[in-house]
Amino acid sequence: MPETILKTVNINKYFYDPVKFQVLTDINMQIDKGEFVSVVGKSGCGKSTLLYILSTMDTDYEGELFIHNSSLTNKTDKHLAVIRNEHIGFVFQFHYLLAEYNVLRNVMLPGIKRGKYSIHEIEYRAMEHLKNLDMQDQALKLPNQLSGGQKQRVAIARALINDPLIIMGDEPTGNLDKKNSDMVFEIFNNLVRERNQALLIVTHDPEFANKTHRIIEMADGRILT
Amino acid sequence: MRARLKQSVIAGVGVTFGIAMFITLLGFMNGLNTLLDGLMLNRTPHVRLYNEIKPSPVQPLSLSKDFKNHVNFNRSVKPKDRGKEIYNSKAIIAQLKNDKRVIDVAPKVTAPVFFNTGSIEITGVVNGIDVNAEEHLFKLSDYIIDGNLQDLNNENNTIIIGKGLSEKMMVKNGDVIQITTLKGGMIGLRIVGISQIGIAEFDNTMSYTSLRTAQILLGESSAYITDIQVKLTDISDAPAAAKEYRARFGTDAVDAQTANSQFETGSKVRSIISYAVGITLLIVAGFGIYNILNMMIYEKMDSIAILKATGFSGNDVKWIFISLSLIIGIVGGLFGLLFGFALSSIIDMIPFETESLPTIKTYPIDYKLMYYMIGITFAIVTTTIAGLFPALKASKIDPVEIIRGK
Ligand SMILES: Nc1ncnc2c1ncn2[C@@H]1O[C@H](COP(=O)(O)OP(=O)(O)OP(=O)(O)O)[C@@H](O)[C@H]1O
Ligand SMILES: [Mg+2]
């Protein structure tokens, strides 16, 4: 039986402003190790909202969330920060990099926060990830000296630095052209093949979704398939 | 978070300025205070023993056995002239010199006199002093602007007069002046020096002569003493010592604190003003830091969101901002101490020469370590508090809101 990485039980979420309104209804889903899952659905159906809950950044929901079979519902901010740091890699649509640090430092940051390895070790690992993404030449540049595709590769390297159980992405290719999107897909695909990495990617690109193992389709805050 | 270097530097400069002014102001104000206090205290004994003319505390009636059980009212009690002489002064001086708290004792004879010049009489005071003891206790020679203090010892019938007096009488070193006592005694004394203490009231009335000359002038024996001036190792013992001496020797005794209470008040007010101004400057600097950190948080919302998304907790973010303001506080504060010291040293070198303060050549500065300690402590405390609120705000930022906002 495959190893379960992430599981939700009856997650419901409401927004109260300006009026009470249910964004997510009875979300039950499960992602196993080595699975490459995409989430699709119309704009405004609640994909991002779901992803924020799954990534533990949003704690205001009903139901229960498990990562590696341990419940993350009603845990402290500190505990969740540790979970995010060690087990979840996040890639955004916009390239959230720290403008004042160079590429290498940006990749190293979650590793430094974790404090499991020495700075030297972290630097070595960060360089390895950058090499795999063909970014080793850019390591000492500042983020504003990179192209969009390059920035996204840095963000992916950063998501990988602590060997997370799962990588989540909210439209990571949404801002990229065809060529760069294909490259990002290839990177993800390699991670699945070579490291048996679990991936959960929200996308608007049907071509991208069709190449993944499984597609979760959402409409009006519910999972259809 | 290391960007905004320029803003951080500006915030730091605010602290530096505040601390530097605080140090300089305090050093300068207290330098002045010490100078003025010194001016007074160096010239006044810590404890002075003397006899006041006043009614006997025990009236004869109270001693009478017949009226012992009555309540006695005495009206029209007149002061009894015990004279201003301190009886048994030799024994008292010997005992005082054995007291461990006492540095030295200087006996003195003071007498109101008239200085005669032409047909005019000027009222003044003659102080008959033990030259060596007076010099030891009060460094009197510092205030002799013309002539030599030791000449009082070396030659008989000599006098040193205050500068104001000499100007009024239009006499100079070497002249002979006539002096009349209240009882009519008259003597001619040769001027061997001019003194200037810097307090007009003194310089216009005071004159110094040897103990012996003063006793002769008053027609008294060599045991005649009107004041015993005592200097203690620690001036704060003075009130207690004065009380003790009053009981032990049966004379009046006044301590320097009581005698100069109005001076103390002046010093205190000056200290309070300088602390208030210094602390105000620091608080203003604190607001500067608060503002800059607040602005920084708005600019760095994205960075804070990333940090949180990648596993930094609210606490971590809070500490980043608190340490940032601490660094600003410590670095700014240390530079402040440095600049404060430099500024003080510059003021210390500015010439400050006035007629009335012959021993002072430059502006006085107090370099007490305390001020530097207070300065740095306050810098750290204000910057921490100023950083605390923005830091708490940053720690509460919801990353989801920021990421959604894009
Ligand atoms: N803070 C909020 N308060 C109230 N309503 C919100 C808030 N955030 C999102 N919504 C609403 O929740 C619904 C789901 O939003 P969400 O961002 O999850 O959609 P999405 O599926 O990611 O859309 P897209 O594909 O355009 O990114 C939308 O109707 C949106 O208007
Ligand atoms: Mg979305």
Side-chain angles (χ1 to χ4, degrees):
Chain A
M1 214 180 97
E3 194 182 336
T4 305
I5 299 290
L6 183 134
K7 196 172 119 185
T8 67
V9 178
N10 284 333
I11 285 192
N12 287 283
K13 176 164 175 82
Y14 303 87
F15 281 124
Y16 298 94
D17 194 28
V19 287
K20 184 169 175 179
F21 144 71
Q22 183 159 16
V23 221
L24 297 175
T25 313
D26 291 333
I27 301 289
N28 287 291
M29 58 184 282
Q30 180 173 332
I31 295 170
D32 293 337
K33 195 169 170 66
E35 251 194 314
F36 189 175
V37 181
S38 58
V39 181
V40 297
K42 278 212 302 273
S43 180
C45 69
K47 305 183 294 294
S48 298
T49 309
L50 175 62
L51 213 57
Y52 298 140
I53 290 173
L54 297 183
S55 70
T56 77
M57 282 191 282
D58 187 352
T59 52
D60 182 20
Y61 58 87
E62 290 168 5
E64 205 160 5
L65 167 69
F66 297 88
I67 284 193
H68 237 185
N69 293 323
S70 66
S71 169
L72 292 183
T73 306
N74 296 326
K75 289 289 190 292
T76 62
D77 167 67
K78 215 170 163 174
H79 181 81
L80 295 178
V82 171
I83 296 289
R84 277 200 297 281
N85 182 243
E86 295 181 3
H87 300 314
I88 301 173
F90 213 100
V91 183
F92 307 97
Q93 174 175 6
F94 298 95
H95 345 277
Y96 273 103
L97 300 176
L98 294 180
E100 46 276 279
Y101 290 130
N102 66 24
V103 165
L104 184 62
R105 196 85 188 165
N106 262 291
V107 175
M108 289 168 67
L109 205 63
I112 296 171
K113 162 62 192 161
R114 186 178 189 180
K116 185 176 170 190
Y117 303 107
S118 71
I119 294 284
H120 256 83
E121 178 89 24
I122 296 167
E123 191 173 328
Y124 173 77
R125 294 161 68 92
M127 264 330 261
E128 286 299 300
H129 287 302
L130 287 173
K131 259 184 217 158
N132 285 339
L133 303 178
D134 206 21
M135 284 287 293
Q136 69 272 35
D137 301 335
Q138 322 288 328
L140 299 179
K141 279 191 179 173
L142 289 175
N144 59 9
Q145 296 167 319
L146 299 178
S147 75
Q150 288 174 326
K151 281 185 206 168
Q152 208 55 310
R153 280 183 274 166
V154 176
I156 294 170
R158 182 180 64 196
L160 287 169
I161 190 74
N162 283 336
D163 299 321
L165 293 172
I166 185 164
I167 290 180
M168 302 181 188
D170 193 355
E171 302 179 36
T173 61
N175 220 23
L176 301 178
D177 61 13
K178 176 86 174 75
K179 193 173 134 249
N180 276 308
S181 305
D182 287 349
M183 183 181 63
V184 168
F185 179 84
E186 275 317 308
I187 291 167
F188 285 152
N189 214 21
N190 285 340
L191 289 175
V192 177
R193 259 190 286 123
E194 290 165 15
R195 307 160 58 107
N196 213 16
Q197 181 75 54
L199 286 166
L200 177 63
I201 307 293
V202 170
T203 182
H204 274 130
D205 179 359
E207 202 186 317
F208 185 105
N210 284 331
K211 289 191 274 183
T212 61
H213 299 172
R214 174 152 69 96
I215 299 174
I216 295 177
E217 203 181 335
M218 286 182 69
D220 284 339
R222 293 168 199 273
I223 291 179
L224 297 181
T225 52
Chain B
M1 292 289 120
R2 69 166 56 129
R4 303 297 128 225
L5 193 65
K6 212 162 121 195
Q7 290 177 358
S8 312
V9 167
I10 292 171
V13 168
V15 178
T16 302
F17 182 76
I19 298 283
M21 290 320 280
F22 179 76
I23 297 283
T24 315
L25 212 71
L26 236 66
F28 187 42
M29 280 294 195
N30 281 287
L32 277 180
N33 273 352
T34 328
L35 171 80
L36 293 172
D37 288 356
L39 201 63
M40 212 52 210
L41 288 182
N42 286 344
R43 303 292 316 126
T44 41
H46 294 173
V47 179
R48 186 169 74 94
L49 304 186
Y50 62 104
N51 266 337
E52 190 109 63
I53 293 179
K54 62 184 173 193
S56 306
V58 184
Q59 292 291 326
L61 184 63
S62 319
L63 295 175
S64 157
K65 285 198 180 76
D66 297 345
F67 295 99
K68 206 172 176 182
N69 295 321
H70 295 69
V71 177
N72 301 320
F73 292 97
N74 283 0
R75 283 172 196 270
S76 304
V77 177
K78 292 284 179 292
K80 177 183 171 196
D81 187 8
R82 288 182 291 160
K84 292 179 79 183
E85 177 174 8
I86 296 176
Y87 296 104
N88 223 351
S89 59
K90 284 233 162 62
I92 294 178
I93 291 172
Q95 276 197 46
L96 285 173
K97 283 194 170 166
N98 277 333
D99 192 323
K100 280 204 188 64
R101 292 166 296 182
V102 171
I103 299 177
D104 204 356
V105 182
K108 191 161 95 169
V109 173
T110 57
V113 293
F114 297 110
F115 297 96
N116 307 71
T117 167
S119 59
I120 312 170
E121 290 185 329
I122 296 173
T123 52
V125 177
V126 161
N127 293 288
I129 56 172
D130 175 335
V131 172
N132 294 327
E134 199 81 6
E135 173 66 8
H136 180 212
L137 289 194
F138 307 120
K139 284 292 280 165
L140 189 57
S141 60
D142 275 355
Y143 303 93
I144 307 297
I145 52 172
D146 187 12
N148 189 347
L149 182 66
Q150 285 303 326
D151 286 348
L152 289 184
N153 258 357
N154 299 341
E155 296 171 52
N156 282 332
N157 294 338
T158 48
I159 190 166
I160 292 176
I161 62 172
K163 185 158 184 267
L165 259 182
S166 78
E167 281 165 0
K168 275 199 231 170
M169 293 192 286
M170 301 207 292
V171 290
K172 57 181 193 306
N173 215 348
D175 291 352
V176 173
I177 52 171
Q178 293 296 321
I179 292 172
T180 321
T181 65
L182 295 185
K183 292 192 172 139
M186 183 141 161
I187 196 170
L189 298 178
R190 191 165 62 82
I191 299 172
V192 292
I194 308 289
S195 67
Q196 186 185 36
I197 284 162
I199 301 171
E201 195 189 331
F202 280 22
D203 292 333
N204 288 341
T205 55
M206 288 295 166
S207 68
Y208 300 91
T209 179
S210 69
L211 259 185
R212 190 65 207 122
T213 309
Q215 287 158 351
I216 292 168
L217 171 69
L218 295 169
E220 296 283 355
S221 76
S222 65
Y224 181 84
I225 299 291
T226 60
D227 290 74
I228 298 174
Q229 313 172 89
V230 182
K231 201 157 198 176
L232 304 173
T233 348
D234 183 357
I235 190 171
S236 56
D237 288 340
K243 200 172 160 199
E244 185 189 322
Y245 297 153
R246 212 174 295 143
R248 178 134 63 113
F249 303 127
T251 65
D252 287 305
V254 67
D255 53 274
Q257 285 88 334
T258 310
N260 296 311
S261 48
Q262 80 278 26
F263 254 86
E264 295 246 317
T265 322
S267 303
K268 268 205 193 102
V269 169
R270 277 190 294 274
S271 294
I272 290 171
I273 290 174
S274 39
Y275 273 99
V277 173
I279 286 172
T280 310
L281 285 171
L282 284 180
I283 289 173
V284 170
F287 273 105
I289 292 177
Y290 172 82
N291 258 330
I292 285 169
L293 282 178
N294 248 342
M295 267 164 51
M296 215 187 254
I297 285 167
Y298 281 112
E299 284 177 17
K300 293 286 139 193
M301 286 283 196
D302 287 359
S303 300
I304 295 167
I306 300 170
L307 289 176
K308 288 200 165 175
T310 55
F312 286 79
S313 65
N315 244 342
D316 297 332
V317 172
K318 185 171 77 195
W319 277 110
I320 290 172
F321 278 90
I322 288 185
S323 30
L324 190 69
S325 67
L326 256 183
I327 291 170
I328 294 175
I330 292 173
V331 173
L334 286 178
F335 271 103
L337 295 188
L338 218 67
F339 280 117
F341 181 77
L343 214 60
S344 305
S345 312
I346 292 171
I347 293 178
D348 204 0
M349 285 185 298
I350 297 174
F352 172 61
E353 288 181 53
T354 76
E355 275 282 287
S356 54
L357 300 171
T359 51
I360 304 299
K361 297 282 172 266
T362 58
Y363 280 101
I365 292 285
D366 190 345
Y367 293 102
K368 216 179 274 166
L369 187 65
M370 251 283 274
Y371 307 144
Y372 293 79
M373 307 287 267
I374 294 175
I376 193 75
T377 316
F378 211 82
I380 292 170
V381 170
T382 27
T383 48
T384 312
I385 293 173
L388 198 63
F389 295 101
L392 281 175
K393 201 154 114 193
S395 77
K396 293 209 180 80
I397 284 175
D398 180 2
V400 173
E401 254 171 58
I402 310 297
I403 293 165
R404 243 187 222 294
K406 276 263 166 167

